[in-house]
Each structure stands twice: as structure tokens, then as C-alpha cells.
Amino acid sequence: PFIAGNLRTLWADHGGASADSKNILGPVLTSLASSGALELMLLTCACGDTMIRACALECLSIVMAFASLWGDANQDESQQKRSRLPFRELPQIARLLQYARDSLDPPENGGVPAALPRFVVSFLSACVPVLFQPSHFLYTQLASALVFAVSADLSDVPLFYKLLLSGGQSHDARLWIFRTMRRGLSGG
């Protein structure tokens, strides 16, 4: 609740598209994405406590709003206006957050959406460090999967079969997906 409240206040005070807003919110967005806070917010989407899950979802929606200040961060960099992004991976991170958002079913009676399966949030949070490293062996596969898939299938581990049966660096890909699944099984 504390982080959600502070992010909400920052957005209320500096949510315009002015240069000052970008100067203030850019470092906040960068620190959220690089410090592990974004991964923690994604993992919290599987929390059974409705209040904590609501705060995590609110934080993620505010982070998406921050990212929207730099145009459509999901577009290719060449299509964007040449405004400087707070970090070069912003389009990929924004697409990951849209992928997560689009996986949620609408809440009943204006409440909080149901918790995402642990396997899915484990996969989403494991994608964040990969998307920050374009040289990572899974970067191309994950980035292309996020571009071509509208949302995650909540009844399956995303990309499980593709990574399990992949050629080339299949051993490393299998280890990555099995570690992701183990984290999902252990609950965090």
C-alpha cells in the first residue's frame, strides 16, 4: 500500500506530458525497473490477499502510465518521436506489462481481478532481467513471443513447450524454464 500510494501521488503531481514530468518520473521508472521492484510487483499478482494484490495491480498500472509519457513505448524505437527514453528497454518492459494486463479477466462487481497463477507470474518476473539483456540467449524468443501473443494462457506455463523442445541452446533454455517453474511451485 505504501508504494502504491507514493506512485499514485507522483502520478497525480507529475502526470502531464511536460519535460519536467519526464525529468522527474524517468528516474523513478528506471529505478523501479532495475531494482527488482517491478519483478516483486509482478510476483504479487499471485497473492491470495486481495488488498495486497490490488496494490500490486495499481502499482503496475501506474508504471504503465509512467511509460506512456514517452509516447507509445510499445512501438518500435524508429517509429517513436526521437524523445529520449529513460532506459532503452522501456518498449520491451511496457509490452511485458501489457501482456500481463491483457491476461487478467475483468473483475466481478468492480472488485479486484482474481490472482494470476503462480507459474505465470513466475514466468513474467523471470522475463524482466532477460529483457534488460539483449545479449541473453532467450531475449529474441521472449521478445518475439511478447510481440506476437496478445495475452498469456493462464492454464499453461508460457512458452513451456517452445523452450523445452527448442534447438540450439536448448539445455540453457530448459534450465531457465525449469527454474521458473520451480519458483512458481515454491510460491515465490
Side-chain angles (χ1 to χ4, degrees):
F2 176 75
I3 295 172
N6 284 330
L7 290 176
R8 189 180 326 109
T9 301
L10 271 173
W11 180 248
D13 292 345
H14 306 286
S18 69
D20 287 340
S21 295
K22 289 181 179 182
N23 290 339
I24 293 169
L25 297 178
V28 173
L29 185 59
T30 302
S31 65
L32 286 172
S34 63
S35 68
L38 185 60
E39 294 160 90
L40 184 62
M41 290 175 207
L42 287 166
L43 286 170
T44 309
C45 292
C47 183
D49 186 291
T50 307
M51 177 60 87
I52 293 173
R53 188 172 63 249
C55 290
L57 292 169
E58 182 179 7
C59 287
L60 290 172
S61 66
I62 294 170
V63 169
M64 288 180 67
F66 285 4
S68 71
L69 289 176
W70 284 268
D72 187 1
N74 193 30
Q75 288 181 356
D76 186 29
E77 204 172 310
S78 63
Q79 295 173 352
Q80 291 184 22
K81 296 176 185 172
R82 296 312 267 169
S83 64
R84 186 173 176 99
L85 298 174
F87 53 94
R88 68 175 181 217
E89 298 86 2
L90 180 60
Q92 290 83 4
I93 297 297
R95 180 61 197 125
L96 178 72
L97 293 177
Q98 289 173 346
Y99 179 80
R101 179 198 61 201
D102 294 345
S103 300
L104 294 169
D105 290 328
E108 295 181 19
N109 301 326
V112 178
L116 286 172
R118 288 183 176 166
F119 286 126
V120 174
V121 297
S122 178
F123 173 80
L124 293 171
S125 67
C127 287
V128 173
V130 172
L131 293 175
F132 271 105
Q133 300 173 19
S135 61
H136 194 281
F137 66 94
L138 287 175
Y139 179 85
T140 305
Q141 285 181 300
L142 292 178
S144 65
L146 291 174
V147 168
F148 292 117
V150 176
S151 64
D153 178 9
L154 299 182
S155 64
D156 196 10
V157 178
L159 296 179
F160 177 71
Y161 292 108
K162 187 173 185 176
L163 294 177
L164 189 65
L165 303 174
S166 65
Q169 298 190 350
S170 62
H171 177 72
D172 293 333
R174 284 187 204 122
L175 281 175
W176 185 85
I177 197 70
F178 286 140
R179 286 181 183 134
T180 301
M181 289 175 56
R182 183 180 63 204
R183 181 172 56 188
L185 282 172
S186 68

